[in-house]
Amino acid sequence: MKVTAILIALVGSAAAFAPAQEARSNTALNADLQGMSGATAPFKGFDPLGLATLGSDATFAWFRAAELKHGRVAMLATTGYIVQASGVHFPGMLSHDVSFESLSTMKPLDAWAAVPAEGQSQIIATILLAEIITEGKETHYTKGGELPTIVFPPIDFSKVDDETLTLKRSRELNNGRLAMIAIMSFVAEANIPGAVPALVNSPMF
């Protein structure tokens, strides 16, 4: 991620050689920040590092897509952590010597290490496939296409009015932001006891 951020910064710096175009882009980005999905109270337009003005429109679209993807993954991870920590897990065996019950008693990183290499490869391959599907659209989101979406089964939002759709998108983004904070807190407390005071003495950890 650090290498990617550096490359993005370099691209943004190179764009400075076209000052008129960059100025128009930054103005549009600043305007979009206030009215885009996810810009809600109590932190409407919250951007202390000025990331919305870094680079071009394509950079901004990449940031939004990254936030959307990470938020969705974090919501799944947070839900899975809570469910598993509550004692709910799949029955039977994951492999001939690893049960789902045993995984539910482990810390997140230990549970991943306990998954056989074949299972880890399948998970990574599924993630790669999802990335190929979302990134391989005819018009990429950094060039004006739709943001990445994977929904099974597909849901038709064409009949949803714009106001309702914006509200639902804002809810998804805000829930994803909260989930990213939550899962980072869960993993930190599970591996470094006392790292998150609010979770100290919780039976989940």
Side-chain angles (χ1 to χ4, degrees):
M1 289 299 293
K2 290 182 179 179
V3 174
T4 302
I6 293 172
L7 291 175
I8 291 173
L10 290 175
V11 171
S13 299
F17 288 99
Q21 180 179 0
E22 185 66 14
R24 288 197 302 273
S25 177
N26 285 343
T27 300
L29 290 174
N30 283 326
D32 289 344
L33 184 62
Q34 298 297 324
M36 66 186 302
S37 299
T40 57
F43 303 113
K44 187 179 179 73
F46 182 74
D47 184 25
L49 298 180
L51 296 179
T53 59
L54 176 65
S56 63
D57 291 333
T59 307
F60 185 72
W62 187 88
F63 282 150
R64 171 41 55 99
E67 179 185 34
L68 190 59
K69 287 183 180 182
H70 285 93
R72 289 169 176 168
V73 171
M75 285 189 281
L76 290 172
T78 301
T79 302
Y81 195 106
I82 294 174
V83 169
Q84 185 166 283
S86 299
V88 180
H89 53 77
F90 287 112
M93 305 291 290
L94 174 67
S95 64
H96 67 278
D97 59 348
V98 179
S99 67
F100 286 107
E101 182 178 5
S102 66
L103 289 177
S104 68
T105 63
M106 299 180 186
K107 298 177 181 178
L109 299 181
D110 293 337
W112 170 256
V115 175
E118 294 82 357
Q120 293 181 353
S121 299
Q122 292 175 37
I123 294 172
I124 294 173
T126 301
I127 295 172
L128 176 60
L129 178 62
E131 281 293 290
I132 292 174
I133 293 174
T134 58
E135 297 291 330
K137 292 183 178 181
E138 185 174 346
T139 303
H140 197 261
Y141 52 81
T142 58
K143 298 181 179 179
E146 295 183 359
L147 289 172
T149 302
I150 290 186
V151 181
F152 297 103
I155 299 176
D156 182 12
F157 291 104
S158 61
K159 296 181 180 179
V160 180
D161 62 88
D162 292 340
E163 184 177 351
T164 301
L165 191 58
T166 298
L167 176 62
K168 291 182 180 296
R169 284 174 174 168
S170 294
R171 287 174 176 173
E172 179 186 29
L173 285 163
N174 287 332
N175 287 333
R177 291 163 181 166
L178 180 60
M180 284 188 276
I181 296 173
I183 193 60
M184 286 190 291
S185 299
F186 290 174
V187 173
E189 180 61 30
N191 291 278
I192 309 174
V196 184
L199 300 178
V200 173
N201 297 325
S202 171
M204 292 174 54
F205 306 97

